[in-house]
Amino acid sequence: MYSHILVPVDESMLSATNVSAAVRLAAQLGSKITFFHATPDLSATGDGVLLRTLAPDAFSNAVLGDTNAVLSKARISAVVAGVTCETEHKVCDHPAEAILDAVQRHDCDLIVMASRGVRGFASWLHSSQTERVLKQSPVALLITRVATSDPLQASERALSVIQDEHRSIAVVVRGMLDLVQQAGAADAHFDLRSLETMLGYLQAFPLQKHHPKEELFIHRCLRQRAPESEKVILELEAQHEREHALVAEAMRMVADAKAGNSASDAALRTHINTLGDAVWSHMQLEETVVLPMAKERFQESDWNEIAVAFEANNDPSFGDLPSSEFRRLFVRIANLLPAL
C-alpha cells in the first residue's frame, strides 16, 4: 500500500509543511519518497536568451534557481527521519503535466501535495495546478492542506520557519562532512573555498540570527511555561556557545591551510567532524525534546510572538546582512554540494 510517494516541492512555507506531512506518512508506511521540483523554462524568454548569450555561467545559475536549495532541504528532512528518498528537477512551463509524467516514470502510487486555493475548496477545485493533477492522475492524490480554507496557525508558522532553518543548517553541515569524506577518500587536500563558504554561512546565519532568537523567544517562554526545563535550556545555551567557538576555530584552521600549512589538514578534518557532531546533537535535542515541550506548553499568544520574530528573518531590512544575501549564499552552497 503506497510504496512510493511523489511530493512536489517549492520554496514556500506551505510546501515546507507539506514535506513534513509527507515524510511523517512515508515513515509510518515504510514508503519511499521522490521529491519533485519544476522551474519555468528561462530559455524560452527574451531575457533568458540574452543572458545565455552574454553570460553563460550566470544563465546556468539562473536556470538552477532555488532548485538545489529546495531539494536539498526536502531530502535532508527525509534523511533525518530515516525515509528513503530521491529527487528530480525538470525545467518546464506546465508543472501539472510534469508531475504526472514523473509519477509514471518513477512508478509512484501516491501523490502528496498542498494547495494555496483561491476562495475556499470550491474555487480551489477549479483553479489550481492541483486540480489538473487531480483530474488526470492515474494514482491516488492526498491533499494535506488547502491554505485558503485551512490557514496555518501561529504555532505552525513558527515551527515551519524554525524547522526550515534547521534543515538549511543541516544541509550545510552535511556538505562540510561530505567535503571531509571526499578529501579523506582521495587522500587529497580540502576544497577550502567551498569549506570557507559553508563556515561563513554558519557564522553569519545560525550563530548571529537563529540562535539568539531561540534564546530570546523560545527559551524565555519555556522558562515561563515549563520551569522544570531549566536544565535543558542551560544545556542548549552552552551548546550555542560551543558551536560559536568551534566555527571560529574552524575558520582559523582554514585560514592556516590556505596559507600553505598542509600539516593542518588532518587536524581540520577532525575538527569539522567534531563540529558536525555538535550541530547534529544540538538540533536533535531541540527537535526531540524542546520543540515537543513547547508544543505542549506554549499558548497561542506565545506562538504568535515567536512566529513574528522568526518570520522577520526573511525581512530584507533585518540585521546587518539582508535576508536576500543569506538566501543567495545558501543557494550557492546548495549548488556546490554533491547529491545527498
Side-chain angles (χ1 to χ4, degrees):
M1 178 181 180
Y2 303 138
S3 60
H4 194 165
I5 302 172
L6 186 85
V7 183
V9 295
D10 59 33
E11 69 281 1
S12 69
M13 185 183 297
L14 183 63
S15 177
T17 61
N18 188 59
V19 166
S20 297
V23 168
R24 289 195 300 270
L25 177 63
Q28 292 171 358
L29 298 178
S31 306
K32 177 181 177 179
I33 288 181
T34 291
F35 294 111
F36 180 81
H37 181 62
T39 53
D41 185 1
L42 183 63
S43 65
T45 67
D47 288 343
V49 172
L50 181 62
L51 182 62
R52 181 173 57 185
T53 302
L54 298 179
D57 290 342
F59 175 81
S60 297
N61 288 332
V63 168
L64 282 175
D66 291 334
T67 296
N68 288 337
V70 170
L71 291 176
S72 293
K73 288 195 286 186
R75 175 166 275 209
I76 205 72
S77 298
V79 169
V80 169
V83 171
T84 301
C85 72
E86 58 186 30
T87 61
E88 181 178 342
H89 164 240
K90 186 170 184 179
V91 176
C92 66
D93 289 322
H94 304 285
E97 288 79 358
I99 289 169
L100 294 172
D101 179 62
V103 165
Q104 294 187 353
R105 283 186 292 99
H106 292 282
D107 195 24
C108 298
D109 49 15
L110 177 66
I111 305 170
V112 175
M113 57 193 302
S115 175
R116 291 172 180 82
V118 179
R119 291 179 298 278
F121 186 82
S123 295
W124 161 76
L125 198 57
H126 297 287
S127 60
S128 70
Q129 294 295 328
T130 314
E131 177 229 353
R132 298 177 189 176
V133 175
L134 176 64
K135 284 183 174 180
Q136 302 176 43
S137 177
V139 302
L141 170 63
L142 174 63
I143 306 298
T144 58
R145 182 178 233 113
V146 181
T148 51
S149 59
D150 185 18
L152 295 176
Q153 298 177 351
S155 57
E156 293 175 303
R157 287 165 44 218
L159 289 168
S160 178
V161 176
I162 293 167
Q163 291 175 325
D164 185 66
E165 291 181 0
H166 283 177
R167 300 293 83 81
S168 296
I169 296 166
V171 167
V172 174
V173 171
R174 176 67 182 267
M176 291 195 309
L177 295 175
D178 282 344
L179 289 179
V180 168
Q181 185 176 16
Q182 290 167 8
D187 194 24
H189 295 302
F190 284 107
D191 178 355
L192 293 175
R193 178 176 297 181
S194 296
L195 184 58
E196 188 173 44
T197 299
M198 294 172 188
L199 287 168
Y201 178 88
L202 294 181
Q203 197 168 55
F205 185 76
L207 300 191
Q208 293 185 23
K209 295 181 70 173
H210 182 79
H211 290 172
K213 286 197 173 184
E214 285 180 329
E215 295 183 7
L216 181 59
F217 294 97
I218 298 176
H219 295 186
R220 175 172 56 80
C221 284
L222 275 175
R223 286 186 164 106
Q224 179 182 356
R225 307 294 184 192
E228 70 276 14
S229 66
E230 181 66 21
K231 183 176 179 180
V232 174
I233 294 172
L234 291 175
E235 172 63 20
L236 288 171
E237 292 176 355
Q239 289 177 350
H240 285 173
E241 291 298 320
R242 183 165 185 252
E243 284 183 40
H244 280 251
L246 287 171
V247 170
E249 177 63 11
M251 292 288 279
R252 185 196 65 76
M253 296 173 77
V254 167
D256 284 349
K258 289 177 68 176
N261 182 7
S262 59
S264 66
D265 279 6
L268 180 56
R269 183 177 293 111
T270 299
H271 189 82
I272 294 299
N273 282 319
T274 299
L275 172 58
D277 289 343
V279 175
W280 291 129
S281 296
H282 177 69
M283 287 195 294
Q284 184 178 37
L285 180 58
E286 288 185 329
E287 299 220 357
T288 62
V289 177
V290 175
L291 294 183
M293 187 185 300
K295 284 191 281 188
E296 180 183 340
R297 299 293 188 89
F298 286 6
Q299 299 178 4
E300 193 65 10
S301 59
D302 300 326
W303 284 119
N304 189 62
E305 181 184 34
I306 293 167
V308 169
F310 275 87
E311 285 169 349
N313 284 353
N314 290 322
D315 182 349
S317 65
F318 179 84
D320 297 329
L321 189 62
S323 65
S324 59
E325 291 298 323
F326 284 114
R327 185 169 187 78
R328 278 196 290 269
L329 178 58
F330 180 75
V331 168
R332 183 153 64 95
I333 290 170
N335 288 344
L336 289 171
L337 300 180
L340 292 176

